[in-house]
Amino acid sequence: MMYASKGILRYSPQLLGTASDKWWLILNCDAELGAYYRRLYEYHTHYCYKLQTPGWKDHVTVVRNEEPSAELKPLWFKYEGQEVEFKYEPVVNDNELHFWLEVECDFLLDLREELGLPRKPEFDLHVT
């Protein structure tokens, strides 16, 4: 069963006090989504462990340092600030270092194609 949520597109996002990450595009998610799952993790570990909030807060990475071709660069920032709905699987995945929720969103994959990038990213869409 998938749940629905929404996020805001941010091109070339900035981490606190740093220059922009030029060819990154993220979907900022509702902070409560990540807070909920981090709290469950703390509960599950009897409050012995705590997960760090990602540098870009809770997000889905759409473009991961992939520079579009010169003729498609004018499309960069096209959807800046746009709200996008996505679906996520409420089961937490992990590799003992990172934790994520799998995401489905055709619009985000269409956006990658519009920028001339492969539809399927190196890492499947997921909430970090």
Side-chain angles (χ1 to χ4, degrees):
M1 181 164 104
M2 303 281 286
Y3 293 163
S5 189
K6 295 178 183 178
I8 304 294
L9 284 170
R10 301 288 181 223
Y11 290 77
S12 305
Q14 293 184 329
L15 292 173
L16 297 175
T18 65
S20 71
D21 285 314
K22 184 77 172 161
W23 303 113
W24 287 71
L25 170 59
I26 64 170
L27 182 70
N28 274 136
C29 301
D30 182 351
E32 293 302 314
L33 179 62
Y36 172 76
Y37 284 98
R38 282 189 294 279
R39 185 71 172 165
L40 283 180
Y41 180 78
E42 289 174 20
Y43 176 75
H44 178 73
T45 62
H46 305 285
Y47 301 96
C48 292
Y49 298 99
K50 187 175 185 176
L51 295 177
Q52 181 177 340
T53 302
W56 285 322
K57 309 273 187 217
D58 305 295
H59 68 279
V60 175
T61 302
V62 182
V63 176
R64 189 174 191 260
N65 203 28
E66 301 166 87
E67 186 173 351
S69 63
E71 64 271 2
L72 295 174
K73 284 183 182 177
L75 297 176
W76 199 250
F77 294 109
K78 179 178 179 181
Y79 301 103
E80 175 69 28
Q82 181 171 318
E83 186 175 76
V84 175
E85 185 171 310
F86 64 93
K87 293 182 180 172
Y88 69 93
E89 181 69 43
V91 176
V92 177
N93 297 282
D94 77 275
N95 61 8
E96 297 183 9
L97 181 60
H98 300 97
F99 297 80
W100 67 91
L101 304 171
E102 293 180 15
V103 166
E104 290 182 6
C105 182
D106 285 336
F107 178 79
L108 297 179
L109 299 176
D110 293 345
L111 195 155
R112 288 182 53 80
E113 284 186 325
E114 185 176 343
L115 290 168
L117 303 172
R119 183 171 183 83
K120 183 174 172 29
E122 179 181 1
F123 299 103
D124 291 337
L125 297 176
H126 60 277
V127 174
T128 300

